[in-house]
């Protein structure tokens, strides 16, 4: 199952008033494991960032002036996204900006059913607590010591770790299980996680390995277990 963890940096907080994307970063997961594949661009927004926004991401107008415009990378972005599940923290913010940019390029906007908001997951898991990305990293003991400024790719990387913790940890996909998962048609939840109980209910038992025992050793073993009080072997034999 392919999932994409996405983050953006912008010139300000309001795309409806002309704020634009200055950076986009996406980390690819397959069965909840990072593949090493990613999508990342700094983007020329053709305008200056609000001072408060620039203080957050540190991307000056001068730095961004020779970077591609969103229209230059839009088709590559759409191709990378495909119809994969997109994981975003506070999705309404990033999706609003992305759809605004896609609309300018006359491209199809993101589908709501493809978006999973980790802010909602975190709110359910930690009601009444701080659930910013920084706060969640601290809760899950994810190192953010080098996060002096925000960066879309860096934050997507951190969010991918937070997301795995929110849905049950790195092994939640049980990708180490064999292909009988598919053969037995194990049901999954909305996030693609395997129902482990149903897996073991349907999992085929392995063949018993027949072992040639030494008869003398076997008789000694029988005599030995007779000396064990309340032996489990007596219960098994009965």
């Amino acid at each position: 199952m392919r999932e994409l963890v996405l983050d953006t940096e912008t010139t300000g907080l309001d795309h409806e008033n002309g704020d634009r994307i200055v950076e986009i970063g996406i980390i690819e997961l397959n069965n909840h494991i990072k593949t090493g594949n990613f999508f990342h661009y700094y983007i020329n927004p053709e305008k200056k960032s609000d001072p408060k926004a620039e203080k957050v991401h540190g991307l000056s107008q001068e730095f961004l002036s020779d970077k591609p415009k969103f229209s230059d990378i839009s088709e590559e972005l759409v191709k990378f996204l495909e119809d994969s599940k997109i994981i975003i923290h506070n999705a309404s913010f990033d999706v609003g900006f992305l759809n605004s940019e896609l609309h300018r390029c006359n491209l199809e906007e993101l589908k709501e059913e493809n978006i999973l908001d980790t802010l909602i997951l975190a709110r359910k898991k930690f009601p009444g607590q701080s659930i910013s990305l920084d706060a969640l990293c601290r809760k899950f003991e994810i190192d953010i010591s080098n996060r002096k400024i925000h960066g879309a790719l860096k934050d997507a990387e951190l969010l991918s770790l937070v997301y795995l913790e929110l849905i049950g940890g790195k092994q939640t996909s049980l990708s180490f299980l064999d292909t009988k998962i598919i053969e037995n048609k194990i049901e999954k939840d909305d996030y693609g996680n395997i129902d482990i109980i149903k897996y073991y209910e349907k999992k085929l038992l392995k063949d018993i390995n027949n072992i040639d025992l030494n008869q003398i050793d076997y008789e000694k073993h029988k005599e030995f277990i007779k000396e064990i009080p309340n032996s489990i072997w007596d219960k098994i034999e009965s």
Side-chain angles (χ1 to χ4, degrees):
M1 177 184 63
R2 185 175 188 256
E3 296 173 301
L4 302 173
V5 186
L6 180 150
D7 188 61
T8 64
E9 299 297 335
T10 64
T11 62
L13 299 176
D14 192 351
H15 64 85
E16 292 184 351
N17 285 332
D19 282 319
R20 306 288 299 275
I21 292 175
V22 298
E23 185 187 5
I24 182 168
I26 307 174
I27 299 292
E28 183 185 64
L29 306 178
N30 185 27
N31 292 326
H32 305 319
I33 298 172
K34 285 184 289 185
T35 65
N37 195 19
F38 66 92
F39 182 97
H40 179 243
Y41 276 103
Y42 294 110
I43 298 169
N44 180 2
E46 303 178 87
K47 64 172 294 181
K48 191 174 182 178
S49 290
D50 180 276
K52 292 182 180 178
E54 187 172 330
K55 188 176 180 179
V56 171
H57 55 62
L59 303 174
S60 67
Q61 187 176 26
E62 180 182 4
F63 173 79
L64 296 169
S65 61
D66 63 346
K67 301 302 182 288
K69 300 173 184 178
F70 188 91
S71 57
D72 296 327
I73 62 99
S74 58
E75 291 186 3
E76 183 182 351
L77 171 64
V78 170
K79 184 177 180 180
F80 187 83
L81 294 177
E82 294 181 333
D83 283 326
S84 300
K85 181 73 71 177
I86 305 173
I87 316 300
I88 308 176
H89 198 67
N90 192 18
S92 60
F93 180 85
D94 298 86
V95 171
F97 272 90
L98 285 165
N99 281 343
S100 177
E101 297 282 9
L102 291 169
H103 181 74
R104 285 190 180 94
C105 299
N106 295 314
L107 293 171
E108 185 178 358
E109 297 181 1
L110 301 181
K111 299 175 182 177
E112 185 177 350
E113 60 267 27
N114 287 348
I115 307 300
L116 191 155
D117 192 344
T118 51
L119 189 71
I120 296 174
L121 294 182
R123 190 173 290 139
K124 292 178 180 178
K125 192 175 185 71
F126 304 110
Q129 300 181 42
S130 176
I131 50 175
S132 66
L133 182 57
D134 279 2
L136 291 170
C137 285
R138 287 191 290 269
K139 286 181 187 297
F140 295 126
E141 299 181 347
I142 296 169
D143 184 16
I144 54 172
S145 58
N146 65 345
R147 190 176 182 248
K148 307 303 180 185
I149 59 174
H150 289 223
L153 189 62
K154 182 191 300 181
D155 287 359
E157 172 78 18
L158 291 173
L159 182 57
S160 70
L161 300 175
V162 166
Y163 168 60
L164 295 178
E165 294 293 344
L166 286 172
I167 62 174
K170 293 181 181 179
Q171 297 301 327
T172 187
S173 67
L174 298 175
S175 59
F176 54 84
L177 296 176
D178 59 31
T179 54
K180 288 189 176 67
I181 291 173
I182 298 174
E183 296 170 2
N184 295 338
K185 299 180 180 179
I186 300 302
E187 295 182 23
K188 299 182 179 182
D189 63 20
D190 293 339
Y191 308 119
N193 301 321
I194 296 164
D195 187 323
I196 189 63
I197 295 176
K198 291 184 179 178
Y199 170 76
Y200 280 108
E201 284 178 349
K202 295 183 180 181
K203 184 172 173 57
L204 299 176
L205 293 174
K206 293 182 179 180
D207 293 335
I208 296 174
N209 293 324
N210 293 318
I211 301 173
D212 293 330
L213 295 176
N214 181 288
Q215 189 63 31
I216 296 175
D217 289 340
Y218 175 62
E219 294 299 331
K220 288 182 178 179
H221 173 72
K222 287 172 62 177
E223 292 298 320
F224 172 75
I225 61 177
K226 289 179 181 179
E227 300 175 6
I228 301 174
N230 196 27
S231 171
I232 190 173
W233 297 103
D234 292 334
K235 297 177 182 179
I236 293 174
E237 289 180 357
S238 61

